[in-house]
């Protein structure tokens, strides 16, 4: 995107979306971007530049003066548009947030009679298959079987840098239940020693197929649960 500047002596700023992974925002990274940008180069000859209106005073008679406006210009070298290819190194700092920008001075649109605008790279986070980020916290959903939901389970969840987050449940886990893993979120941009939390919401996958009469009786005997059928407005 090109953003016009108010100053007539400076080119427009340019904003470029920088798409990064959640892993890069967790660990940090250096990336090199190749960009073709417009520029001016000198050619033979001169041109009028820095034109402005100046007031001149003329004597029209004894004790009589008249002021008039005149257009005055300097002589500058001729310029022509060219395209310059350059490589820009960017640092993706741990904990950066969507919308944060990095500024590169005078790397934007050129101006024939002034300095070039600035170039901004704006952070855009790519969608992750496992984690969703909200501020410094991470969120994910974990599907478990009905058996695991009832009797408990133990597993490891692979984090963004490859380390394992242990998850252990010894009691009943109901659908929609959420647990928090403290300090397993994203690093804070201002203080990298401060970490957000990881919130895990459980989905329960029910078995398909029919149960035999004997199986149904066994489940009823094991659960020994009275009916709780009740209609209500859950919205």
């Amino acid at each position: 995107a090109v953003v016009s500047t108010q100053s007539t002596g400076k080119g427009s700023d340019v904003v470029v979306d920088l798409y990064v992974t959640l892993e890069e925002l967790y660990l940090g990274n250096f990336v090199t971007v190749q960009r073709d940008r417009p520029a001016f180069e000198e050619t033979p000859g001169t041109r009028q530049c820095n034109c402005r209106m100046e007031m001149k005073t003329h004597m029209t008679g004894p004790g009589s003066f008249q002021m008039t406006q005149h257009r005055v210009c300097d002589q500058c070298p001729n310029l022509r548009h060219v395209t310059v290819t350059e490589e820009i190194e960017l640092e993706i700092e741990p904990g950066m947030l969507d919308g944060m920008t990095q500024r590169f001075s005078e790397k934007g649109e050129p101006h024939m009679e002034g300095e070039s605008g600035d170039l901004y790279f704006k952070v855009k986070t790519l969608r992750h298959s496992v984690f969703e980020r909200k501020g410094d916290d991470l969120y994910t959903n974990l599907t478990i079987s009905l058996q695991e939901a009832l009797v408990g389970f133990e597993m490891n969840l692979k984090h963004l840098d490859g380390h394992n987050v242990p998850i252990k449940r010894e009691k009943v886990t109901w659908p929609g239940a959420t647990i928090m893993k403290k300090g397993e979120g994203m690093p804070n941009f201002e203080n990298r020693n401060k970490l957000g939390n990881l919130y895990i919401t459980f989905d329960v996958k029910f078995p398909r197929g029919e149960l035999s009469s004997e199986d149904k009786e066994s489940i009823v005997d094991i659960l020994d649960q009275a009916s709780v059928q009740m209609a209500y407005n859950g919205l």
Side-chain angles (χ1 to χ4, degrees):
V2 177
V3 181
S4 297
T5 55
Q6 296 297 319
S7 173
T8 58
K10 184 176 180 179
S12 297
D13 293 337
V14 176
V15 181
V16 177
D17 288 337
L18 179 65
Y19 291 94
V20 297
T21 64
L22 204 53
E23 285 85 355
E24 289 176 311
L25 294 173
Y26 185 82
L27 294 167
N29 193 19
F30 287 92
V31 296
T32 300
V33 177
Q34 182 171 294
R35 179 173 181 266
D36 294 332
R37 69 176 179 89
F40 289 114
E41 72 173 11
E42 293 187 8
T43 60
T46 60
R47 61 183 175 85
Q48 290 186 338
C49 63
N50 301 323
C51 296
R52 66 266 181 200
M53 300 303 293
E54 293 186 354
M55 301 298 295
K56 289 189 177 181
T57 303
H58 303 276
M59 182 178 289
T60 58
S64 178
F65 299 90
Q66 182 181 14
M67 297 186 69
T68 58
Q69 279 191 334
H70 291 267
R71 186 171 183 266
V72 179
C73 299
D74 298 329
Q75 294 297 312
C76 295
N78 273 337
L79 298 175
R80 68 173 181 178
H81 278 281
V82 295
T83 299
V84 177
T85 300
E86 59 186 6
E87 289 187 345
I88 300 175
E89 187 173 85
L90 297 160
E91 180 182 6
I92 302 169
E93 299 182 63
M96 290 186 78
L97 297 165
D98 262 3
M100 284 186 171
T101 59
Q102 291 190 44
R103 174 178 172 266
F104 291 83
S105 180
E106 296 188 39
K107 295 292 185 181
E109 291 291 314
H111 193 286
M112 185 170 285
E113 297 182 5
E115 63 184 23
S116 297
D118 299 328
L119 171 63
Y120 294 86
F121 285 94
K122 180 185 289 187
V123 171
K124 295 282 188 180
T125 307
L126 293 168
R127 178 177 172 81
H128 197 273
S129 61
V130 175
F131 299 105
E132 182 71 20
R133 180 185 185 182
K134 295 180 181 179
D136 291 338
D137 296 327
L138 290 174
Y139 294 78
T140 189
N141 282 65
L142 180 61
T143 300
I144 58 176
S145 69
L146 178 59
Q147 176 178 305
E148 291 170 323
L150 293 174
V151 303
F153 66 94
E154 189 173 353
M155 65 166 289
N156 288 318
L157 176 64
K158 188 176 180 181
H159 209 291
L160 293 167
D161 63 347
H163 82 269
N164 288 322
V165 179
I167 301 171
K168 185 176 182 180
R169 298 283 293 173
E170 295 180 339
K171 55 185 179 181
V172 173
T173 303
W174 61 92
T178 299
I179 63 171
M180 180 191 76
K181 288 289 186 177
K182 188 175 179 60
E184 291 290 359
M186 297 291 292
N188 180 270
F189 180 71
E190 301 293 339
N191 181 5
R192 297 179 188 177
N193 293 321
K194 181 181 178 182
L195 297 170
N197 300 319
L198 169 63
Y199 294 89
I200 303 169
T201 300
F202 294 100
D203 303 319
V204 178
K205 185 176 182 180
F206 282 72
R208 295 182 178 274
E210 297 293 330
L211 295 174
S212 66
S213 299
E214 292 78 7
D215 290 336
K216 292 179 181 178
E217 291 177 2
S218 298
I219 292 174
V220 170
D221 290 339
I222 293 171
L223 296 179
D224 191 23
Q225 187 178 23
S227 175
V228 291
Q229 297 172 3
M230 179 178 62
Y232 71 100
N233 185 347
L235 298 179

